[in-house]
């Protein structure tokens, strides 16, 4: 399709039928629920809880997809309260370029084990926790309040930053490697590369700040750390 679809509601928005324009913008004071396939060429911008409280949900039958080079998806929940729930039966959010998820007053969650986000880059921030299954190149995730970060990646990623203010960070990849710039947590950081390596992306600068680090990989570990407790398992570990 072509053109722009803009929906602006003083209460909530529910999308029950497929739409396919160039761009989509959904603005609501309350909740936004996606129950169908929403596809756009360049941009999907979802803004729930514009009055401060409201969640954005992609249900089991819903999805958000952008298809052109440089295309993006952004989802924002309420700044006071509100979650982002990616519950699609297949990939909930797909972008050629970037996906940005912001739940300033709540959590970013999933209710399944299927892939939730496919993109070149994911930037996700929440107050009370992040749990996602991903297929990415670059990963940036952070929590501002009490809550854990749990990312299950499919084929390796550049972990640009994973930071839990009050909680733990757990990033794992089924295949490929984790190339880590920084990861920090008030409790523990857990990094797992089941079929690859955990590598240092910032040369001699510190990679990990936490009370404890648990790192396991198939083909090597190279990290600079500032931790109290360290557990590492690999066939060829290197620490600097």
């Amino acid at each position: 399709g072509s053109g722009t679809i803009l929906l602006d509601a003083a209460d909530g928005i529910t999308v029950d039928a497929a739409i396919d324009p160039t761009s989509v913008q959904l603005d609501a004071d309350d909740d936004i629920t996606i129950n169908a396939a929403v596809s756009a060429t360049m941009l999907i911008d979802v803004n729930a809880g514009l009055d401060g409280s409201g969640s954005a949900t992609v249900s089991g039958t819903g999805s958000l997809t952008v298809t052109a080079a440089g295309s993006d998806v952004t989802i924002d929940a309420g700044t006071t309260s509100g979650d982002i729930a990616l519950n699609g039966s297949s990939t909930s959010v797909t972008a050629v370029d970037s996906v940005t998820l912001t739940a300033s007053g709540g959590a970013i969650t999933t209710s399944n084990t299927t892939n939730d986000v496919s993109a070149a880059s994911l930037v996700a921030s929440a107050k009370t926790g992040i749990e996602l299954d991903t297929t990415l190149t670059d990963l940036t995730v952070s929590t501002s309040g009490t809550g854990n970060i749990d990312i299950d990646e499919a084929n390796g990623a550049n972990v640009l930053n994973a930071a839990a203010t009050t909680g733990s960070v757990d990033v794992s990849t089924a295949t490929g490697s984790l190339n880590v710039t920084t990861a920090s947590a008030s409790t523990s950081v857990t990094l797992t590369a089941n079929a690859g390596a955990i590598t240092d992306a910032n040369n001699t600068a510190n990679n990990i700040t936490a009370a404890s680090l648990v790192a396991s990989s198939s083909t090597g570990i190279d990290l600079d750390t500032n931790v109290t407790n360290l557990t590492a398992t690999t066939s060829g570990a290197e620490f600097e």
Side-chain angles (χ1 to χ4, degrees):
S2 61
T4 298
I5 290 179
L6 169 62
L7 299 178
D8 190 347
D11 46 15
I13 294 174
T14 300
V15 177
D16 287 328
I19 52 178
D20 184 19
T22 301
S23 62
V24 175
Q25 182 171 340
L26 306 177
D27 297 335
D29 285 350
D30 296 327
D31 298 338
I32 296 177
T33 303
I34 309 297
N35 293 327
V38 176
S39 179
T41 308
M42 291 304 303
L43 175 67
I44 297 175
D45 186 14
V46 177
N47 301 287
L50 290 177
D51 65 353
S53 178
S55 297
T57 300
V58 178
S59 74
T61 55
S63 63
L64 301 173
T65 304
V66 288
T67 58
S71 56
D72 305 315
V73 175
T74 65
I75 305 175
D76 288 272
T79 56
T80 301
S81 64
D83 301 324
I84 297 174
L86 303 183
N87 301 330
S89 58
S90 57
T91 303
S92 293
V93 181
T94 302
V96 176
D97 188 16
S98 67
V99 171
T100 303
L101 309 174
T102 307
S104 300
I108 300 172
T109 65
T110 182
S111 64
N112 53 52
T113 57
T114 60
N115 189 58
D116 300 306
V117 178
S118 291
S121 171
L122 170 64
V123 178
S125 59
K127 182 178 182 180
T128 58
I130 300 171
E131 181 182 0
L132 292 172
D133 303 287
T134 64
T135 303
L136 308 167
T137 302
D138 296 331
L139 172 67
T140 303
V141 284
S142 62
T143 54
S144 61
T146 300
N148 301 325
I149 295 172
D150 186 354
I151 303 295
D152 294 323
E153 164 64 18
N155 57 14
N158 300 314
V159 182
L160 302 183
N161 186 46
T165 299
T166 307
S168 64
V169 169
D170 188 334
V171 180
S172 65
T173 182
T175 63
S177 298
L178 297 177
N179 192 30
V180 181
T181 303
T182 55
S184 60
S186 65
T187 56
S188 63
V189 170
T190 302
L191 302 174
T192 307
N194 291 313
I198 301 172
T199 57
D200 181 352
N202 64 7
N203 296 317
T204 59
N206 188 58
N207 301 115
I208 310 297
T209 302
S212 67
L213 168 65
V214 178
S216 60
S217 78
S218 174
T219 59
I221 301 171
D222 180 2
L223 294 172
D224 302 293
T225 68
N226 181 3
V227 300
T228 302
N229 301 308
L230 171 65
T231 303
T233 307
T234 187
S235 58
E238 178 183 354
F239 293 93
E240 297 178 358

